[in-house]
């Protein structure tokens, strides 16, 4: 999928991070078409307070931060790997987006609940260990805005690990949901509470 979404400086870093795929063996990132849809969802919802669980080298974070920039939004990004937090920091700095992102090292099952965003989260992207997704959600749940988008990655590629969590999300009061079969596949939940 081609898109004209971001300025040249950001696109250059996105290209660079995407190229890491062939250079490091722990570089898991969402496909570009999925990243672009997430960015457009942030744009569509004018989302300003974003929580990302699973940052890796910052590919998805670059998209989320760039999309929320025109709303003066902020991304809290969580990853358990210090090495990846450091690499993502460098990439976001290079893209001119670092002021929009706070990176939190450590296990998101603990760190997410320790962070108080300045505004309740209106967009959450869950993309770490699949069978821990419920624990990430429970950590972030009390910090959600009254209307929040939850995007859960890998519903096409890791359905078995995610099925019970997705079913749980679909049954929450105030939830509307659908599967988006793009990239890794992701569950798009809008939660109104
Ligand atoms: C699939 S990658 C994230 C890819 C990233 N969202 C992207 O598209 O560019 C999953 C990440 O989750 C991180 N991770 C694994 N367990 C975690 C945990 N308990 N807390 C926080 N991060 C975790 C890993 O270090 C890894 O970088």
């Amino acid at each position: 999928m081609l898109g004209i979404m971001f300025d040249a400086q950001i696109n250059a870093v996105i290209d660079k991070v995407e190229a890491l795929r062939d250079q490091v063996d722990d570089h898991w990132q969402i496909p570009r078409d999925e990243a672009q849809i997430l960015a457009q969802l942030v744009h569509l919802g004018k989302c300003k307070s974003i929580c990302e669980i699973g940052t890796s080298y910052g590919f998805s974070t670059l998209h989320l931060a760039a999309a929320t920039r025109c709303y003066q939004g902020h991304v809290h990004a969580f990853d358990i790997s210090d090495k990846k937090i450091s690499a993502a920091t460098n990439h976001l700095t290079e893209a001119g987006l670092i002021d929009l992102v706070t990176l939190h090292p450590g296990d998101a099952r603990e760190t997410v609940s320790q962070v108080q965003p300045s505004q309740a989260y209106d967009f959450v992207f869950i993309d770490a260990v699949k069978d821990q997704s419920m624990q990430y959600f429970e950590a972030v749940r009390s910090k959600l805005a009254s209307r929040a988008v939850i995007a859960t990655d890998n519903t096409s590629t890791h359905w078995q690990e995610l099925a019970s969590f997705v079913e749980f999300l679909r049954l929450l009061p105030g939830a509307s949901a659908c599967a988006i079969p793009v990239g890794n596949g992701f569950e798009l939940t809008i939660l109104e509470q």
Side-chain angles (χ1 to χ4, degrees), residues 34 132 151 166:
E34 182 179 346
Q132 292 176 4
V166 167

Side-chain angles (χ1 to χ4, degrees), residues 28-30 52-60 78-81 84 106-109 125 127-129 132 136:
W28 310 297
Q29 65 162 65
I30 54 172
E52 177 185 65
I53 300 171
T55 298
S56 194
Y57 288 89
F59 185 78
S60 51
F78 298 83
D79 202 286
I80 201 166
S81 159
K84 290 180 171 183
D107 189 329
R109 290 172 293 176
F125 180 47
D127 185 22
V129 176
Q132 292 176 4
Y136 306 139

Side-chain angles (χ1 to χ4, degrees), residues 6-13:
F6 308 130
D7 65 32
Q9 182 184 0
I10 296 171
N11 280 332
V13 182

